[in-house]
Amino acid sequence: MEQQSPPASSSTTVTSTTPLLPQNHPWWRRHFHMNNSLSSELSGAVGDLGTFIPIVLTLTLVSHLDLSTTLIFTALYNITTGLLFHIPMPVQPMKSIAAVAVSETPHLTTSQIATAGASTAAVLFFLGATGLMSTLYRLLPLPVVRGIQLSQGLSFAFSAIKYIRYNQDFVASKATTPRAWLGLDGLVVALSSLLFLVIFTGSGDHYDRNGSDDDQPRRRNSKRLRILGSIPAALIVFLLGLVLCFIRDPSIFGDIKFGPSKIGFLSITWNDWKVGFLKGAVPQIPLSVLNSVIAVCKLSGDLFPNRELSAAKVSVSVGVMNLVGCWFGAMPVCHGAGGLAGQYRFGARSGWSVVYLGIGKLIIGLVFGNSFVRILNQFPIGILGVLLLFAGIELAMASRDMNSKEESFVMLVCAAVSLTGSSAALGFVCGILLFLLLKLRKIEYSGSTPGFSKFKFESTVDAETSSIP
């Protein structure tokens, strides 16, 4: 009997290392457990606000977006998707629609923005419900997906540097004067926030908690890094920004009005549908397919190997959110790979992170309503730039797994075209064509007609058989 105990112990050890909870646990513990500290989840919750706040603020000031309605609906989206997907699934503005809305002359109205979002959502819902999105996800070459991720990440990083270095006029969608060194929104505040985040979060590595007893220096170093990582650095930086809002403009206290705005259906005309679809949805649809679904699903598999998202479910999720909220004037939203990267970068490891974010948005929307725009208008843009910089770099680093020169070539060309052409769709098309051309070079052709020699096209040379030293 004593000799049979080791196998039982071994079996127990194997079971304990399984990342998922045993099936005999209640369903709510298996699906809603939080395998991370509360401080890390709260810190990760603010990881994508570097993109959320500038776009929401711009649409509120330029297109008269109802901030209270947007906060309430995006809060419900956050809570629902966090509980359904079990990862820090972001809810971000549809960036192309927002850019068109403020750059067109005249600016798009709230109804036209809503129809653009609803039209995009209908396409994504159809692709997801019919399974076409899953087919597209399986067929897309990985280097092309990585190129889209790299371009989006670098685009975020470039915008972040502009936020840090220059004052921003969100209404005119342009940078203005160089940012002063001193002041409550100066370079010193932004750079101090940057250094603070680097010290407490490092490069975003996830350190192993099971240090070896034979390597005491490494264990002490790992323990020190875990202590630093347990501090919600991003949340502290964001709260600092909120405090600075009231210091920069104390009159905010007198302008705050409590209570949400009245939620009602928008009045939408046929012309609104035409303008919204042609000017807003057409450029947004390819971006949503590539970045909001394909890139998000691939990134989820990279960050959470046991929880890779279904492209069909993510596509349907984007469709349902906007087909509900846009009718009430809520901002069109999607799931962005940059938001997921940013939230993961600052500590989010479960769906509870975005649930907490949703609860915070819901409280703000119900308590402060549209008057919260006065606070956002004074938020230090340099701090937003710092948060956006980390999110962009984290997303761009997802492309580091390209192991061959051919894969890197396709990825870099796709990213370069996406950045210079300001179009992920154009970069995607170029990447697909380049990928197919490179594969075509590898096809072997043998002439069946007498007198013709055999032709062989290859893209690489085997180093072992090559005679070149």
Side-chain angles (χ1 to χ4, degrees), residues 259-272:
S261 62
K262 184 178 179 180
I263 299 178
F265 282 102
L266 290 178
S267 175
I268 300 177
T269 65
W270 172 249
N271 184 66
D272 291 333

Side-chain angles (χ1 to χ4, degrees), residues 85-90 137 142 145-146 149 290-314 335-344 348-349 394-395 398 401:
F85 292 111
H86 316 307
I87 70 169
M89 174 65 81
Y137 181 68
L142 180 60
V145 177
R146 292 302 192 215
Q149 290 176 316
L290 296 173
N291 185 54
S292 304
V293 180
I294 302 297
V296 167
C297 292
K298 185 56 189 174
L299 185 62
S300 70
D302 298 333
L303 302 179
F304 307 98
N306 296 322
R307 289 176 280 175
E308 183 171 354
L309 299 176
S310 163
K313 292 181 179 179
V314 174
H335 302 306
L340 176 58
Q343 290 171 155
Y344 184 90
R349 296 295 184 272
E394 183 70 24
L395 177 58
D401 62 348

Side-chain angles (χ1 to χ4, degrees), residues 312-346:
K313 292 181 179 179
V314 174
S315 188
V316 169
S317 173
V318 176
V320 171
M321 287 191 303
N322 292 283
L323 289 176
V324 173
C326 286
W327 293 100
F328 299 92
M331 175 186 61
V333 294
C334 59
H335 302 306
L340 176 58
Q343 290 171 155
Y344 184 90
R345 175 63 176 74
F346 290 119

Side-chain angles (χ1 to χ4, degrees), residues 324-405:
V324 173
C326 286
W327 293 100
F328 299 92
M331 175 186 61
V333 294
C334 59
H335 302 306
L340 176 58
Q343 290 171 155
Y344 184 90
R345 175 63 176 74
F346 290 119
R349 296 295 184 272
S350 73
W352 286 110
S353 179
V354 290
V355 170
Y356 299 143
L357 177 62
I359 294 173
K361 288 181 182 178
L362 189 61
I363 293 174
I364 293 174
L366 293 175
V367 174
F368 297 102
N370 286 332
S371 64
F372 194 70
V373 70
R374 285 282 288 113
I375 300 175
L376 293 183
N377 202 23
Q378 293 300 322
F379 198 95
I381 305 303
I383 290 181
L384 290 179
V386 170
L387 295 175
L388 183 59
L389 176 63
F390 280 87
I393 295 300
E394 183 70 24
L395 177 58
M397 284 196 296
S399 61
R400 67 186 185 275
D401 62 348
M402 294 289 95
N403 297 319
S404 69
K405 188 172 183 179

